[in-house]
Amino acid sequence: MMMNHKYIICAVCAICSLCGCADWDDHYESGDVSGSSVTLWQQLKENPQLSDFSQVLEQTKVFRMHKKMPVSYADLLMGGQAFTVVAPVNGTFNRDSLLQLVQTNQGDSLVERFFVLNHLSRSLRSVTSGNSNMLMLNSKYVEVGPGSIEGVQVINPNNHAKNGVLHVTEGPLPYRYSLYEMLSAKDELSLIGKCLRQYEEDYFDADRSVSSGIIEGVPVYVDSVVIERNRLLERIGYLNAEDSTYLMVVPGNEGWQKAWDVASKYFVYDQKVLKRDSIQHYWTSRALLDDAIFNLNSQKSVNDSLTSVQYSRSTPEYNVFYRPFDSGGIMDGARHEICSNGDLYVAQEWPFTPENTYFKELWSEAENSYLITSEKDCTYNIRHLASDSISKGGYLHVVPRTATANWDLTYRVNNTLSGDYDVCVIVLPRTIDNQVNPNMKPCKFKATINYVDSLGNEQSFNCGNVQFKTNPEKVDTVVVAENFHFPACNFDQNDIKVSVKVTCSILARETSSYSREMYLDCIYLRPRTSKSEQQ
């Protein structure tokens, strides 16, 4: 989890160096902040109502880079750095269970994150008649109001010490889970949490680390900074960032597993793809989560529509969900959970369909000549014309090199999944560039689909060796292969293994009846799913 521990790390550095460097971090408040000669730790120890809390602070060690330091939180509070401490009185929390947890590294880390850091702040804050927010050391914000902190009554406020302020409360502050923590901690969401945690990693930040030079060609660092990050969250949304505000909808374990079983079948890569299982897992995860997360700061009206974090103006037909809270909407019937950085909605089923999320229509626009992998016996001109009937406002005017040349063009198709598609060739009418005296002869062509099988071997399908005839009077969507199955996924691959070849197939004796010119709009793959997957 990407928790913000920079404040703790800095404090640990100061203690570990025996406080010999008073200006170790000038942007933090330090020294005498009240005129008092008593430290926060002395105040805690002298108050018999706070003995339980003091014991936990004494026994809880600071963690840095996943390592337990020899410094306790009691050490920090008797040092020179300034804190605000919110101390719950005895008997309001389970001291014994916390002390038992700190006996192990994992337990100590949990006590630190969920309890100790939830009661310490670097902001010096008094309880006044007004309202304000205070940032705690676990990066959570708590509300400081008249006589209370995060709704917990303050029974002894504003005790100023040499190095900060102490507030005594009638109980511990509630810990509000972030969206990421909710997914990681809740049993009913454990499958999603497990999926997300697989992408946690430690990243060494050389720029922020302190170097002591190079020895035998190898950089040496006296202080290494390691950042905890999650490679998946970097792509779908920082669900663990406390300064973010998201809305998220997910199913419970049963619904997640059901959706996973369907989605994973679409991301089966051929056996020649390195790390194919890992890639399949990653893109299946993305398939189910990409449209489940919404940045609330970018929504115009959440009741009217929600645009997911993957929304792009170039494809406005995707990543938008209308009337989400109405009957049949993606939030319909979902249970609402309030988190520290947004709202979580837990549904019984994954509330989307493959077609409106990951199993998308694929368009190889004819005017994008960079998609052409091979050509024969033709010339072509790229045309642009704004019209509702023309895909993306462009097309390709294909002309044979000679009057009787049967040309061919092959277009690569990007991002096919291991699923079923109707493979279509869309041809524009002959009137597209000459409405006064157009040549109304149809064009006749064949089509070939090139792909790879599950082993990665190249295959081709000649579309039944059918000769297709275009309609010169209208935009003609010619289905050259219906419900065609691609056995291997080619999503997000540099080595494009899927293409469609269009071959003009007019005999010499047919020249008077057909035209070898074609106004090619695009190659279009239309997804096909079974009824069970649509439910």
Side-chain angles (χ1 to χ4, degrees), residues 14 46 60 102 137 142 148 163 197 207 220 259 406 411 447 458 488 509 527 532:
E46 291 171 1
T60 305
V102 298
L137 286 186
V142 297
S148 68
N163 59 339
R197 287 194 300 274
D207 293 335
V220 177
N406 279 333
Y411 279 86
E458 294 183 357
R509 66 174 182 270
S532 62

Side-chain angles (χ1 to χ4, degrees), residues 278-475:
S278 297
I279 298 174
Q280 179 189 23
H281 187 279
Y282 176 81
W283 284 116
T284 302
S285 305
R286 290 283 304 272
L288 299 184
L289 291 171
D290 270 0
D291 281 313
I293 302 167
F294 308 88
N295 188 332
L296 287 176
N297 294 324
S298 63
Q299 308 301 321
K300 294 181 179 179
S301 174
V302 296
N303 291 320
D304 293 330
S305 66
L306 285 170
T307 56
S308 79
V309 291
Q310 303 299 330
Y311 176 78
S312 172
R313 291 183 179 180
S314 63
T315 54
E317 67 273 24
Y318 291 110
N319 317 112
V320 182
F321 305 92
Y322 296 98
R323 309 299 298 179
F325 295 95
D326 289 1
S327 177
I330 59 173
M331 308 294 179
D332 182 24
R335 187 182 78 251
H336 183 203
E337 299 276 1
I338 298 176
C339 300
S340 62
N341 61 347
D343 297 277
L344 179 68
Y345 288 84
V346 182
Q348 286 191 336
E349 302 284 343
W350 187 62
F352 307 97
T353 64
E355 295 96 332
N356 67 6
T357 51
Y358 59 86
F359 195 27
K360 299 177 179 179
E361 298 175 337
L362 301 177
W363 303 78
S364 291
E365 296 295 334
E367 67 273 15
N368 293 337
S369 57
Y370 62 85
L371 295 175
I372 298 174
T373 60
S374 68
E375 57 184 83
K376 178 183 176 183
D377 292 335
C378 67
T379 60
Y380 49 80
N381 299 296
I382 297 171
R383 307 292 190 198
H384 295 282
L385 182 64
S387 173
D388 292 340
S389 60
I390 300 175
S391 172
K392 302 299 182 181
Y395 62 95
L396 200 72
H397 180 198
V398 186
V399 181
R401 290 192 183 276
T402 65
T404 58
N406 279 333
W407 52 267
D408 66 54
L409 280 173
T410 302
Y411 279 86
R412 76 169 187 253
V413 181
N414 299 335
N415 294 322
T416 51
L417 304 186
S418 49
D420 300 337
Y421 296 87
D422 290 339
V423 181
C424 309
V425 176
I426 300 181
V427 182
L428 300 177
R430 301 306 299 268
T431 56
I432 194 71
D433 69 347
N434 186 350
Q435 298 182 6
V436 178
N437 187 28
N439 178 354
M440 297 304 290
K441 294 179 183 178
C443 183
K444 193 164 61 170
F445 70 93
K446 292 183 178 181
T448 304
I449 302 171
N450 304 304
Y451 63 101
V452 296
D453 59 22
S454 60
L455 299 176
N457 299 320
E458 294 183 357
Q459 304 290 340
S460 63
F461 174 62
N462 67 0
C463 299
N465 203 33
V466 175
Q467 297 196 73
F468 303 97
K469 184 171 70 173
T470 66
N471 187 333
E473 298 180 355
K474 67 174 186 176
V475 177

Side-chain angles (χ1 to χ4, degrees), residues 204-233:
F204 172 67
D205 191 337
D207 293 335
R208 294 170 60 187
S209 299
V210 179
S211 174
S212 63
I214 298 177
I215 299 177
E216 297 182 355
V218 179
V220 177
Y221 296 89
V222 295
D223 186 21
S224 299
V225 175
V226 178
I227 300 172
E228 299 176 27
R229 70 179 187 182
N230 187 298
R231 291 184 294 111
L232 188 59
L233 295 189

Side-chain angles (χ1 to χ4, degrees), residues 221-290:
Y221 296 89
V222 295
D223 186 21
S224 299
V225 175
V226 178
I227 300 172
E228 299 176 27
R229 70 179 187 182
N230 187 298
R231 291 184 294 111
L232 188 59
L233 295 189
E234 290 175 354
R235 296 291 182 268
I236 65 175
Y238 292 101
L239 303 177
N240 52 354
E242 295 293 341
D243 57 353
S244 300
T245 307
Y246 290 103
L247 183 152
M248 186 176 187
V249 56
V250 294
N253 285 341
E254 184 176 348
W256 174 264
Q257 188 63 59
K258 179 180 176 182
W260 181 277
D261 291 341
V262 172
S264 62
K265 295 177 183 178
Y266 287 93
F267 294 93
V268 178
Y269 290 80
D270 70 75
Q271 293 186 13
K272 293 183 180 179
V273 176
L274 297 177
K275 299 182 179 180
R276 56 193 295 264
D277 293 339
S278 297
I279 298 174
Q280 179 189 23
H281 187 279
Y282 176 81
W283 284 116
T284 302
S285 305
R286 290 283 304 272
L288 299 184
L289 291 171
D290 270 0

Side-chain angles (χ1 to χ4, degrees), residues 489-514:
C489 174
N490 198 223
F491 187 81
D492 193 49
Q493 296 291 290
N494 293 324
D495 183 13
I496 307 302
K497 301 175 181 179
V498 176
S499 62
V500 176
K501 181 167 74 171
V502 177
T503 303
C504 183
S505 60
I506 300 172
L507 300 176
R509 66 174 182 270
E510 297 176 317
T511 300
S512 60
S513 302
Y514 295 94

